[in-house]
Amino acid sequence: TLLGDMNQSIHPYIETGSYEPVLDILKEKKSAIIKLTKSYRSTCEIVEFTKAIVKKGEKIDAISRAGEKPQVIAVQDEAKLIDEICKDIEKLKEEGCASIAVICRTAGEASDVFEQLKKKTNAIMIKKDDTEFRTGVVVIPSYLSKGLEFDAVIVYNAGNGNYFNENERKLIYTVCTRALHRLHVFYSGSLSGFIKEIPSELYESRII
């Protein structure tokens, strides 16, 4: 059994495009491609939001589990981004979120954010060499978040400076789909075009 998700092909230089080559390699008469389209991770609202990022991606159907719409939050002063995220973390804790991920674009950005967050909240950093997954408030680079799930996901900065190349479309999709119940997308400056393309009725917009 081989499992995969084309929507989460986050490596910019590897794009197979389809599952057909797998059948060619196996060359087994009983081999077959079965598409599993039902998403059990996220709420309907998060699924609809993330589906709009990969408009031509694999089909996704959400189970009937309702929740809050994702929030897209503009922080006008980038220097206040950490402070606003800290406030958001405390609010999410009060709402019962046991696992909260602050997902950053790169390892370098994640390291900088962690150094600032740990002064204000009890956060831990997830690195590529970690062998044990820990809950609570975690800071993690985008490429390490694949395969994980959290009660709440805070996208650190979905500005156009972080997610703008077309080969990063599936990366921001993968980041956002880590959220089970809450998805809060923070940005400063110009919002990523991938998020701008999402119909406004699928999320709540705020300016701080």
Side-chain angles (χ1 to χ4, degrees):
T1 300
L2 301 177
L3 301 174
D5 182 356
M6 292 296 177
N7 289 346
Q8 296 187 49
S9 301
I10 64 175
H11 196 293
Y13 305 110
I14 299 176
E15 178 59 74
T16 59
S18 76
Y19 299 107
E20 299 299 334
V22 177
L23 291 184
D24 295 336
I25 293 170
L26 294 177
K27 299 185 185 303
E28 293 286 344
K29 292 181 180 180
K30 294 184 179 180
S31 296
I33 295 175
I34 300 173
K35 294 189 176 182
L36 308 175
T37 62
K38 190 70 72 175
S39 173
Y40 293 88
R41 174 185 290 119
S42 308
T43 61
C44 294
E45 288 77 8
I46 293 173
V47 170
E48 292 305 311
F49 178 89
T50 54
K51 279 170 61 175
I53 297 175
V54 284
K55 297 175 183 178
K56 298 180 181 179
E58 296 287 298
K59 181 182 178 182
I60 312 162
D61 297 315
I63 61 169
S64 183
R65 181 164 67 84
E68 294 184 1
K69 288 183 179 181
Q71 295 184 21
V72 177
I73 305 163
V75 180
Q76 293 177 302
D77 185 352
E78 188 173 356
K80 295 181 179 179
L81 196 54
I82 290 292
D83 288 337
E84 295 301 331
I85 286 175
C86 283
K87 293 176 185 177
D88 200 44
I89 288 172
E90 294 308 312
K91 184 178 179 181
L92 288 168
K93 285 181 180 179
E94 292 172 2
E95 293 173 354
C97 294
S99 59
I100 303 170
V102 179
I103 305 182
C104 303
R105 172 66 182 83
T106 65
E109 183 178 73
S111 180
D112 291 341
V113 169
F114 171 68
E115 289 302 318
Q116 297 178 70
L117 277 182
K118 72 178 184 180
K119 300 172 184 177
K120 303 173 182 290
T121 188
N122 187 24
I124 58 176
M125 175 93 177
I126 294 181
K127 302 178 181 178
K128 65 178 181 178
D129 297 325
D130 288 348
T131 57
E132 180 181 352
F133 178 72
R134 294 167 288 177
T135 59
V137 179
V138 303
V139 181
I140 183 171
S142 57
Y143 65 93
L144 289 182
S145 67
K146 185 176 178 180
L148 303 178
E149 59 183 39
F150 306 90
D151 290 335
V153 163
I154 294 172
V155 181
Y156 170 68
N157 190 351
N160 204 43
N162 265 346
Y163 301 95
F164 60 94
N165 286 324
E166 184 58 33
N167 60 19
E168 293 167 333
R169 180 181 295 274
K170 292 182 178 179
L171 182 61
I172 187 67
Y173 166 84
T174 301
V175 166
C176 291
T177 54
R178 302 307 92 201
L180 287 165
H181 309 292
R182 300 282 195 280
L183 174 60
H184 293 177
V185 180
F186 282 79
Y187 74 98
S188 183
S190 178
L191 179 62
S192 168
F194 305 132
I195 306 298
K196 283 183 179 179
E197 292 174 4
I198 300 173
S200 59
E201 64 269 19
L202 296 181
Y203 61 90
E204 294 180 359
S205 181
R206 290 196 287 128
I207 298 176
I208 300 175

